[in-house]
Coordinates of all heavy atoms in Angstrom, one line a residue:
T18 N -24.1 -24.1 2.5 CA -24.2 -25.4 3.0 C -25.6 -25.8 3.3 O -25.9 -26.9 3.6 CB -23.4 -25.5 4.3 OG1 -23.9 -24.7 5.4 CG2 -21.9 -25.2 4.1
A81 N -11.8 23.4 3.8 CA -12.0 22.4 4.8 C -13.0 21.4 4.5 O -12.8 20.1 4.7 CB -12.5 23.1 6.1
Q91 N -11.2 8.5 0.8 CA -10.1 7.6 1.2 C -10.5 6.5 2.1 O -10.1 5.4 1.9 CB -9.0 8.5 1.8 CG -7.8 7.8 2.3 CD -7.0 8.5 3.4 OE1 -6.9 8.0 4.5 NE2 -6.5 9.6 3.1
A96 N -11.2 1.0 2.8 CA -12.0 -0.1 3.5 C -12.3 -1.3 2.5 O -12.3 -2.5 2.9 CB -13.3 0.5 4.1
M97 N -12.7 -0.9 1.3 CA -13.1 -2.0 0.4 C -11.9 -2.8 -0.1 O -11.9 -4.0 -0.2 CB -13.7 -1.3 -0.9 CG -15.2 -0.8 -0.7 SD -16.0 -0.2 -2.1 CE -15.3 1.4 -2.3
D119 N 23.5 -8.7 2.4 CA 24.9 -8.8 1.9 C 25.7 -7.5 2.3 O 26.7 -7.3 1.6 CB 24.9 -9.1 0.4 CG 24.2 -7.9 -0.4 OD1 23.8 -6.9 0.3 OD2 24.2 -8.0 -1.6
A121 N 24.9 -4.6 1.7 CA 24.9 -3.6 0.6 C 23.4 -3.3 0.3 O 23.0 -2.2 0.1 CB 25.6 -4.0 -0.6
Y177 N 10.9 0.2 10.5 CA 10.7 -0.4 9.2 C 9.7 0.4 8.4 O 8.7 1.0 8.9 CB 10.3 -1.9 9.3 CG 9.0 -2.1 9.8 CD1 7.8 -2.2 8.9 CD2 8.6 -2.3 11.2 CE1 6.5 -2.4 9.4 CE2 7.4 -2.6 11.6 CZ 6.3 -2.7 10.7 OH 5.0 -2.9 11.1
G193 N 14.3 8.9 9.2 CA 13.9 8.4 7.9 C 15.0 8.1 7.0 O 14.8 7.8 5.8
F217 N -0.6 -9.6 -11.7 CA -0.3 -9.4 -13.1 C 1.0 -8.7 -13.3 O 1.2 -7.5 -12.7 CB -1.5 -8.5 -13.7 CG -1.3 -8.3 -15.1 CD1 -1.8 -9.2 -16.1 CD2 -0.8 -7.0 -15.6 CE1 -1.6 -9.0 -17.4 CE2 -0.7 -6.8 -17.0 CZ -1.1 -7.8 -17.9
P222 N 6.2 -9.9 -21.9 CA 6.8 -11.1 -22.2 C 7.6 -11.0 -23.5 O 7.4 -10.1 -24.4 CB 5.8 -12.1 -22.4 CG 4.6 -11.5 -21.6 CD 4.8 -9.9 -21.8
R249 N -18.8 -17.7 -5.9 CA -19.3 -17.1 -4.6 C -20.7 -16.5 -4.7 O -21.2 -16.0 -3.8 CB -18.2 -16.0 -4.3 CG -16.8 -16.4 -4.2 CD -15.9 -15.3 -3.9 NE -14.5 -15.6 -4.0 CZ -13.5 -14.8 -3.9 NH1 -13.7 -13.5 -3.6 NH2 -12.2 -15.2 -4.0
G260 N -6.3 6.4 -12.4 CA -6.3 6.9 -13.7 C -5.1 6.3 -14.5 O -5.3 6.0 -15.8
A269 N -5.1 -2.0 -24.6 CA -5.4 -3.4 -25.1 C -6.0 -3.3 -26.5 O -6.8 -2.3 -26.9 CB -6.4 -4.0 -24.2
L283 N -14.7 1.9 -24.2 CA -14.2 3.2 -23.5 C -15.5 4.1 -23.3 O -16.4 4.0 -24.1 CB -13.2 3.8 -24.4 CG -11.9 3.1 -24.7 CD1 -11.0 3.9 -25.5 CD2 -11.2 2.7 -23.4
P296 N -18.8 -1.8 -15.0 CA -18.4 -0.4 -15.1 C -17.1 -0.2 -14.3 O -16.9 -0.6 -13.2 CB -19.6 0.2 -14.5 CG -20.7 -0.7 -14.5 CD -20.0 -2.1 -14.4
G302 N -7.2 10.8 -5.3 CA -7.2 11.6 -4.1 C -6.1 11.1 -3.2 O -5.5 10.1 -3.3
R323 N -22.3 4.6 7.1 CA -23.4 5.3 7.9 C -22.8 6.7 8.3 O -21.7 6.9 8.7 CB -23.6 4.4 9.1 CG -24.2 3.0 8.9 CD -25.6 3.1 8.4 NE -26.1 1.7 8.3 CZ -26.1 1.0 7.2 NH1 -25.4 1.5 6.1 NH2 -26.6 -0.2 7.1
Y350 N -13.9 25.5 13.5 CA -13.6 24.1 13.2 C -14.9 23.4 12.8 O -15.9 23.9 13.2 CB -12.9 23.5 14.4 CG -13.8 23.0 15.5 CD1 -14.3 21.8 15.5 CD2 -14.2 24.0 16.5 CE1 -15.2 21.3 16.5 CE2 -15.0 23.5 17.5 CZ -15.5 22.3 17.5 OH -16.4 22.0 18.5
S376 N 10.7 -7.6 -12.9 CA 12.1 -7.2 -13.0 C 12.6 -6.2 -12.0 O 13.7 -6.1 -11.6 CB 12.4 -6.7 -14.4 OG 11.6 -5.5 -14.7

Side-chain angles (χ1 to χ4, degrees):
T18 64
Q91 175 204 119
M97 288 188 282
D119 61 359
Y177 72 87
F217 181 80
R249 305 179 189 173
L283 302 179
R323 298 289 185 270
Y350 79 95
S376 62

